[in-house]
Amino acid sequence: MEETANEKFLSRRRSAALKGLKIKDERVATLKRVAAILQKSEINRTAEETEILISCSDVVKEVNLRQEKRHRVKARLEEVEDAPEILEEKCIRLAAAISRATSLAVYTGAGISTAASIPDYRGTNGVWTRLQQGKDIGNHDLSLAEPTLTHMALYALYKARILKHVVSQNCDGLHLRSGIPRTLLSEVHGNMYVEVCRTCKPFREYWRLFDVTEKTARYSHGTGRLCHTCNAVLQDSIVHFGERGNLPWPINWNGATRAAKQADVILCLGSSLKVLKKYPWLWQMDRPIHKRPSLYIVNLQWTPKDENAVLKINGKCDEVMKRVMSHLGLEVPQYNRAKDPIFFHAVRLTSNEQHTTSQPCLEEPPTIVKKELSEISDQRLCEGIAPQTKEDCISPKKITQTVSAYPAPFFAALPFLSMGLPFPPMYMCPQLTPLFYYPFIQIPDMNINMPKPEPACTFCMENEGSLTCLYYQKETDTSTLIGSEDTKTLVIHTDSPIVSAKNPGWFGKGYRKGMKKKR
């Protein structure tokens, strides 16, 4: 009896499944037939076809909805440019917003690097678009790429103290090469010129002059080279689709989160935002709408954040930023290879490592003496240290001469000292503008015999006027000198690994998990 009951049950399930498949096949056939009829004009339709459309009104409605959705998706993929007069008006509005911003955060995508002959992904001629069409993506030598006008415009905004942080989805390293310090940069998908040792605590980082991802892939990040300290296999910093980026540098999710909280204006350049939209803390979605930062988007295609933007500019990034910087009255500097930090901070390959790569190297500027660079690199490698734990130049004495403080101002002994000020108030010096006034209000050194601070990195001192290195994170701003006075060695301590309060995970899963715990 039990076997008979089971057989009957299975038979009923089988017949129900067959019936469902039959109904589904009939509906699919009806949808195809109605779609074919709707493609004809009303004049060419027969009486029988007209009766089918009348009897299947619900199917006709579904076919029309599908067709509208298909057209909408196709329209979103099209690249649209604003008319010149409209573009100029929008650029003026964007320049006004940037000038009023107290904390500007910029989110960039592949669109800002297309002018450097690096293809984007979702554009009409992008990598993924061509792959979907079955076309060849071609060969692109990224070693020939240089920072574009947009990269240098962002560097100018940083120098003007307007730009506070850049969140980049690009792996080309052009933001870092343009001169933006790494503390103000989050390369959330990694950097193709950076490989790290995850075994060292804190982790060590190696800059290279070539693409380190030649032998790496998804879930396989070994580059084939070894750490100079612990002999562990070095790994690239790239975050592939579906992976989690947990490196404190160059990914720097902590810096991106802090910048998003403090930002009052967010500018998105050349990004479809289909990935960044998944990270809600970048847009402060937990705040009320009126308390969120103002959003401005520059992109040729549609983005999912267009409805939330104060202004959407359909234009090329270089053209838009050129107009905006002109309205702001800021000059966009030309890219200079001699001031590219990658050539100074990169670790050269030893003779035993030459076989580990076949990628073309970046062309070094002629002003850099290769012999001196090789001596610095060999010295680092012999001592078994990464570049962030060793002095970046051999002769700091020449640089310290330029760091001398301003002499005591001529009014240092005047009666206003009784007011408790070592300098006159600005209203007593109406002939001095703030630009000329503030350099004179520095307090002179009381102890002449005090040793002058020595720069941690001569490159940053010469090009940025910074006593600390802007491209390798240090534990403190003050460095430790060891050894005798004649042979002093500057040791730069690296940061301990940053423990993120919330692990971003993939598409913000860690953030949502944290929100559930709070509730």
Side-chain angles (χ1 to χ4, degrees):
M1 291 293 293
E2 292 181 0
E3 294 181 0
T4 308
N6 289 334
E7 289 177 0
K8 288 182 178 179
F9 176 73
L10 293 174
S11 177
R12 282 197 297 269
R13 285 190 60 181
R14 199 177 299 113
S15 60
L18 291 173
K19 187 178 180 181
L21 289 173
K22 185 178 179 181
I23 294 173
K24 185 177 180 181
D25 291 342
E26 290 177 356
R27 182 168 179 79
V28 170
T30 305
L31 283 170
K32 289 182 178 180
R33 189 174 183 183
V34 169
I37 296 172
L38 289 175
Q39 288 179 356
K40 298 180 181 180
S41 61
E42 295 183 1
I43 302 173
N44 297 330
R45 293 174 190 168
T46 63
E48 183 182 355
E49 290 175 344
T50 306
E51 290 179 2
I52 292 173
L53 293 180
I54 295 173
S55 61
C56 302
S57 58
D58 56 334
V59 178
V60 172
K61 186 177 181 181
E62 184 177 349
V63 170
N64 288 331
L65 289 174
R66 289 186 180 186
Q67 194 69 20
E68 289 177 6
K69 185 178 180 180
R70 196 176 294 112
H71 288 317
R72 189 163 58 248
V73 170
K74 189 176 180 180
R76 288 176 176 178
L77 296 176
E78 294 178 358
E79 294 184 351
V80 181
E81 288 193 51
D82 290 327
E85 58 276 5
I86 298 176
L87 184 65
E88 181 69 16
E89 179 187 353
K90 289 184 176 181
C91 289
I92 293 174
R93 291 176 59 188
L94 177 58
I98 293 175
S99 65
R100 293 193 302 265
T102 58
S103 182
L104 172 66
V106 177
Y107 301 166
T108 64
I112 71 167
S113 299
T114 52
S117 301
I118 299 178
D120 56 9
Y121 292 96
R122 295 179 176 87
T124 54
N125 201 32
V127 174
W128 291 347
T129 305
R130 293 183 68 86
L131 288 175
Q132 289 176 353
Q133 295 172 353
K135 298 180 181 178
D136 184 24
I137 61 174
N139 295 322
H140 302 276
D141 187 0
L142 300 188
S143 65
L144 302 176
E146 293 182 349
T148 64
L149 184 144
T150 302
H151 290 96
M152 301 311 297
L154 295 179
Y155 172 72
L157 290 175
Y158 148 70
K159 295 294 287 185
R161 298 185 179 182
I162 298 174
L163 177 64
K164 301 302 180 184
H165 203 86
V166 175
V167 179
S168 174
Q169 301 173 76
N170 301 335
C171 306
D172 50 33
L174 294 182
H175 279 301
L176 207 59
R177 293 180 60 190
S178 69
I180 294 179
R182 62 179 314 144
T183 52
L184 304 184
L185 180 62
S186 296
E187 295 175 299
V188 296
H189 291 164
N191 189 320
M192 60 183 284
Y193 295 110
V194 175
E195 55 185 352
V196 299
C197 175
R198 294 176 180 264
T199 306
C200 290
K201 302 297 181 183
F203 81 100
R204 295 187 182 276
E205 182 176 341
Y206 296 79
W207 286 21
R208 303 295 190 183
L209 295 178
F210 55 87
D211 183 5
V212 302
T213 65
E214 179 183 3
K215 300 178 182 179
T216 64
R218 184 181 180 186
Y219 304 132
S220 177
H221 294 275
T223 62
R225 287 171 288 277
L226 302 179
C227 177
H228 302 151
T229 303
C230 67
N231 239 22
V233 177
L234 297 178
Q235 298 182 3
D236 68 6
S237 59
I238 304 300
V239 180
H240 293 273
F241 188 88
E243 293 181 337
R244 297 190 179 193
N246 53 9
L247 283 173
W249 306 101
I251 295 171
N252 193 12
W253 270 116
N254 281 20
T257 305
R258 284 193 298 267
K261 287 182 179 179
Q262 299 170 1
D264 57 349
V265 173
I266 294 177
L267 174 60
C268 299
L269 294 172
S271 174
S272 65
L273 301 180
K274 292 182 179 179
V275 174
L276 288 185
K277 73 170 184 178
K278 302 292 185 178
Y279 300 101
W281 62 87
L282 289 179
W283 315 98
Q284 296 300 296
M285 299 301 291
D286 55 340
R287 293 185 185 179
I289 295 178
H290 64 280
K291 290 187 178 181
R292 295 175 192 169
S294 302
L295 178 59
Y296 294 81
I297 299 175
V298 179
N299 200 48
L300 290 172
Q301 292 178 322
W302 170 90
T303 75
K305 288 289 182 180
D306 285 355
E307 296 179 357
N308 306 111
V310 176
L311 179 66
K312 168 67 184 299
I313 302 178
N314 291 91
K316 296 181 179 178
C317 294
D318 280 7
E319 179 65 23
V320 171
M321 291 306 297
K322 183 178 179 180
R323 293 172 182 254
V324 169
M325 297 298 285
S326 175
H327 294 310
L328 288 173
L330 295 175
E331 182 181 358
V332 180
Q334 292 289 332
Y335 168 71
N336 186 356
R337 274 184 177 263
K339 296 183 179 181
D340 192 329
I342 194 171
F343 295 111
F344 191 88
H345 296 86
V347 179
R348 270 64 179 179
L349 293 177
T350 62
S351 57
N352 297 331
E353 294 177 326
Q354 294 294 334
H355 69 281
T356 60
T357 181
S358 60
Q359 294 295 309
C361 289
L362 298 174
E363 183 182 354
E364 297 186 25
T367 54
I368 293 182
V369 182
K370 296 185 179 180
K371 182 179 179 182
E372 183 179 349
L373 285 173
S374 62
E375 289 176 356
I376 297 173
S377 182
D378 291 342
Q379 182 182 1
R380 289 171 176 162
L381 298 177
C382 290
E383 298 182 9
I385 54 177
Q388 70 267 34
T389 61
K390 183 68 179 172
E391 182 183 26
D392 281 324
C393 187
I394 302 175
S395 57
K397 294 182 180 179
K398 180 179 71 173
I399 304 302
T400 53
Q401 296 176 359
T402 62
V403 196
S404 57
Y406 285 95
F410 66 91
F411 44 71
L414 294 180
F416 61 80
L417 289 175
S418 60
M419 302 167 58
L421 296 173
F423 52 86
M426 190 170 177
Y427 64 83
M428 297 177 62
C429 307
Q431 70 278 10
L432 292 178
T433 62
L435 182 62
F436 294 99
Y437 172 75
Y438 288 110
F440 289 98
I441 67 175
Q442 298 189 14
I443 302 175
D445 292 334
M446 297 301 177
N447 189 356
I448 302 176
N449 297 324
M450 287 181 61
K452 296 177 182 178
E454 294 183 353
C457 171
T458 56
F459 176 87
C460 296
M461 185 65 228
E462 290 176 348
N463 295 285
E464 301 292 339
S466 173
L467 288 172
T468 59
C469 184
L470 301 177
Y471 303 100
Y472 280 106
Q473 186 72 6
K474 290 167 283 297
E475 190 176 35
T476 57
D477 288 340
T478 58
S479 302
T480 308
L481 290 171
I482 59 175
S484 62
E485 292 185 1
D486 297 332
T487 60
K488 287 183 177 180
T489 304
L490 190 62
V491 179
I492 304 175
H493 298 283
T494 57
D495 268 352
S496 57
I498 301 174
V499 180
S500 178
K502 50 197 176 202
N503 180 10
W506 176 246
F507 285 168
K509 291 179 181 176
Y511 178 84
R512 289 194 287 270
K513 186 184 292 183
M515 292 296 292
K516 289 180 181 177
K517 288 182 180 179
K518 287 182 181 179
R519 291 174 183 171

